[in-house]
Amino acid sequence: MKRVIACALALCLTVCLFSVPAAAVSRDGILKWTMPLATSVDLIEMTHAEETADGPKNLLQQNVLTYEPNLTVRPMVIYGSTLYGRSTMSKIAAYLEDENLNLVAGVNGSFFDMSTGIPYGFVVTDGVLRTSGSVNSVGFSRNGGVIIGNPDMHIFVSGGPLNNAEVFYNKVLTTGNGIGLYSRDYDTATKNPISAYNVVLTPTSDSKSELKVTKIVENTASCPIPANGFVLSIAEKSTYSSALSSLKAVQVGDTLTFSALCDDMWKGIAYACGGGDMLVEDGEALTSFTLDTKDEQRARTAIGRKSDGTLVIYTADESSNSAGIDLYDLAEKMAELGCDTALNLDGGGSTMVGVQYPGYDKCATANSPTDGSMRACANFIFFVREKTEAEAADRLFLYPAHSFALPGATVGFSLKATDANYVATSLPSRLSWSSNYGTLGSNSLTLDA
């Protein structure tokens, strides 16, 4: 019987070190490869096949990103030019280029409304609240530290007839969610699907917490939002009749004051986005979930934190060659990966892993998205680093990083180089090659029988 072997090359190089991603096979049917993507950022690719009397079944393709906080690479939450609408990961990666940043890796973030792209839960970017919502969330400090939990976010408005009235921020208006506040982070207009009573506001000073009423716009679904201002809206047929009456009592010229409160642990967070059910708490996998697909094998994305501060992002594919995973097994998986706390993120067709493989200058898809291609999503969690000029080659990477072939087959390969900071650079002029597996050609390896 012919045996199937994994192909790797042992290289004798004139540069520092070439670490071939290692393949490990365990008794429970897992094939595992690890590739460094940047300083303290690794990509782990795993394939699991459950062994039965009839052979392997329930093939599961998984990707894990691990990140140890450092000053070279930092996590960010990024969305498109506005909250309304959706963006692809490749579009966001292009935006990073304009900000003098390079993408290291990224995954999808918040659950969101498919028709509008508005995320559920709150979003913070660059230390600024972009939309509100008190759901289980993940937040990042500027030094890469991570917090997972419920931010307990609330926004209040006072002034005129309004006395500490709670409002939501940058969400789609309905008849049952009361008064909403809108900024240009949402879009150029409120774009609400129902007729609304709108109060237009502009800042009275450099502080945006104090706003003056400049206009009233009645019976309008989509009210323009001033470039430097805001709009307060409530449905004309709101179920909150007292809130509707209070807002209609506001007069042009009134000054309204806004305040935001959240759990103390979330103050000073630079980036954040909402998620879903908690999966792990105090190192223990949870077993009670609210998500309607909790029992189904689906593509999943989860994020967790180890006790030493290491961030773990896990994805499982649901595709033609991957069965998907239910929420109970996802929780167990995050606990097995060493997380003391973990959170479920959007999954299904949204689950995606984008990476910039070392030696390349463009983002590539590392997983197999359920839809067959990357879905446009509300926001993404990215690991980024400052763009730097390429220096001399310090690391070499062989592609494909892992492959399987029968004896006698020929495997083609390519070689890429990076400097010490994982920036793509030119290959060294002198390289020597050797292999323990077969005969080397110019860009191929023929395996021994």
Side-chain angles (χ1 to χ4, degrees):
M1 180 177 179
K2 291 183 177 180
R3 56 191 177 89
V4 178
I5 63 173
C7 168
L9 295 182
L11 302 180
C12 301
L13 304 178
T14 58
V15 295
C16 174
L17 174 66
F18 176 41
S19 177
V20 179
V25 182
S26 63
R27 290 184 180 179
D28 58 358
I30 290 181
L31 299 174
K32 181 178 179 181
W33 294 269
T34 301
M35 172 177 281
L37 299 178
T39 303
S40 299
V41 181
D42 287 340
L43 171 67
I44 305 169
E45 299 182 17
M46 301 187 296
T47 301
H48 174 271
E50 180 184 346
E51 292 292 337
T52 69
D54 299 325
K57 71 172 186 177
N58 288 343
L59 193 70
L60 184 64
Q61 304 288 355
Q62 305 152 89
N63 287 275
V64 181
L65 291 166
T66 62
Y67 165 77
E68 297 176 15
N70 64 89
L71 298 178
T72 303
V73 179
R74 57 192 172 100
M76 300 175 68
V77 174
I78 306 178
Y79 60 92
S81 56
T82 61
L83 292 165
Y84 198 100
R86 297 182 284 155
S87 298
T88 61
M89 184 177 286
S90 57
K91 180 179 178 180
I92 301 297
Y95 159 81
L96 292 177
E97 291 287 323
D98 296 335
E99 297 297 310
N100 203 39
L101 296 172
N102 277 340
L103 169 69
V104 173
V107 298
N108 57 292
S110 303
F111 290 85
F112 61 94
D113 183 289
M114 286 287 290
S115 62
T116 65
I118 299 300
Y120 304 136
F122 88 148
V123 172
V124 176
T125 66
D126 297 317
V128 178
L129 179 68
R130 308 298 180 175
T131 181
S132 62
S134 280
V135 300
N136 296 319
S137 306
V138 57
F140 307 105
S141 62
R142 294 194 183 278
N143 63 5
V146 60
I147 181 173
I148 297 175
N150 194 314
D152 195 23
M153 167 65 63
H154 301 277
I155 299 175
F156 301 94
V157 56
S158 293
L162 299 170
N163 183 20
N164 217 34
E166 187 164 2
V167 302
F168 62 84
Y169 184 43
N170 285 337
K171 302 293 186 188
V172 175
L173 186 68
T174 70
T175 58
N177 61 357
I179 302 173
L181 178 66
Y182 296 88
S183 73
R184 277 293 183 94
D185 287 332
Y186 186 84
D187 209 321
T188 57
T190 58
K191 292 187 175 180
N192 285 315
I194 55 178
S195 183
Y197 186 87
N198 305 281
V199 175
V200 182
L201 308 161
T202 57
T204 60
S205 63
D206 292 336
S207 173
K208 290 188 176 181
S209 62
E210 199 172 79
L211 306 172
K212 179 162 288 191
V213 179
T214 57
K215 185 189 297 184
I216 305 294
V217 182
E218 301 184 53
N219 298 310
T220 299
S222 185
C223 179
I225 303 170
N228 296 310
F230 298 81
V231 173
L232 268 180
S233 298
I234 189 169
E236 292 279 9
K237 295 183 179 180
S238 174
T239 57
Y240 295 97
S241 57
S242 60
L244 178 61
S245 297
S246 295
L247 192 59
K248 285 191 172 183
V250 170
Q251 302 294 316
V252 172
D254 284 350
T255 297
L256 305 182
T257 302
F258 291 81
S259 59
L261 298 177
C262 67
D263 186 281
D264 286 344
M265 293 183 64
W266 291 81
K267 293 179 179 177
I269 287 295
Y271 297 92
C273 68
D277 288 300
M278 294 297 297
L279 300 171
V280 178
E281 289 183 339
D282 299 323
E284 298 292 328
L286 302 180
T287 57
S288 179
F289 308 113
T290 61
L291 189 64
D292 56 358
T293 62
K294 60 183 180 291
D295 298 309
E296 300 174 15
Q297 288 184 276
R298 294 286 187 90
R300 306 285 183 182
T301 305
I303 189 166
R305 184 197 61 211
K306 295 184 178 182
S307 58
D308 64 0
T310 299
L311 183 65
V312 177
I313 298 179
Y314 170 89
T315 67
D317 287 350
E318 179 197 8
S319 63
S320 59
N321 63 345
S322 185
I325 189 172
D326 64 34
L327 226 54
Y328 304 94
D329 287 341
L330 180 63
E332 291 285 351
K333 178 61 67 175
M334 295 305 286
E336 289 173 9
L337 290 170
C339 297
D340 64 352
T341 183
L343 172 69
N344 184 43
L345 298 175
D346 192 15
S350 296
T351 290
M352 66 188 79
V353 185
V355 302
Q356 186 165 306
Y357 287 106
Y360 289 88
D361 57 4
K362 299 295 182 183
C363 175
T365 309
N367 73 319
S368 298
T370 301
D371 295 345
S373 61
M374 284 189 171
R375 172 184 286 179
C377 292
N379 51 56
F380 301 90
I381 298 171
F382 277 174
F383 297 112
V384 303
R385 56 179 169 78
E386 298 292 333
K387 190 182 296 183
T388 57
E389 294 296 326
E391 298 180 356
D394 186 76
R395 308 170 190 270
L396 298 182
F397 294 85
L398 189 69
Y399 295 99
H402 50 80
S403 61
F404 294 90
L406 292 171
T410 298
V411 178
F413 59 84
S414 62
L415 190 64
K416 299 290 184 179
T418 76
D419 64 14
N421 294 319
Y422 293 86
V423 178
T425 192
S426 301
L427 287 168
S429 57
R430 297 181 61 187
L431 294 171
S432 60
W433 302 74
S434 66
S435 171
N436 298 327
Y437 292 96
T439 304
L440 281 166
S442 58
N443 289 100
S444 65
L445 170 69
T446 301
L447 302 179
D448 291 333

